[in-house]
Amino acid sequence: MKGPRRMPGPCPDPEFLAAYLDGGLTSRERTLVEQHLLDCCKCRHILSVAIKSEDSVVLPSKTDPS
């Protein structure tokens, strides 16, 4: 069983930020990321780009065209 994750280094890695966006962090982890985002414009920019990219993804239709 894995222990609680920590933010590696001064900034969260991309996997940690992705988990933040997906709601996959614990309450404590989410608080750590949010506190970090208050002071880190680099990470805020990364999240902003990720959110914009997510909004522009077009998913294929589940209906079969044939």
Side-chain angles (χ1 to χ4, degrees), residues 31-62:
T31 298
L32 287 173
V33 172
E34 289 169 353
Q35 287 174 344
H36 174 77
L37 291 171
L38 292 173
D39 295 320
C40 186
C41 62
K42 178 183 170 187
C43 287
R44 286 194 309 267
H45 176 73
I46 291 169
L47 284 178
S48 172
V49 170
I51 290 167
K52 288 177 186 174
S53 295
E54 232 178 47
D55 290 342
S56 66
V57 172
V58 177
L59 298 175
S61 172
K62 289 186 178 187

Side-chain angles (χ1 to χ4, degrees), residues 16 20 23 25-35:
F16 206 86
Y20 173 76
L25 298 180
T26 65
S27 174
R28 180 181 175 279
E29 291 168 334
R30 193 171 48 254
T31 298
L32 287 173
V33 172
E34 289 169 353
Q35 287 174 344

Side-chain angles (χ1 to χ4, degrees), residues 5-18:
R5 291 174 291 187
R6 293 184 346 210
M7 287 194 332
C11 291
D13 64 20
E15 185 178 310
F16 206 86
L17 288 175

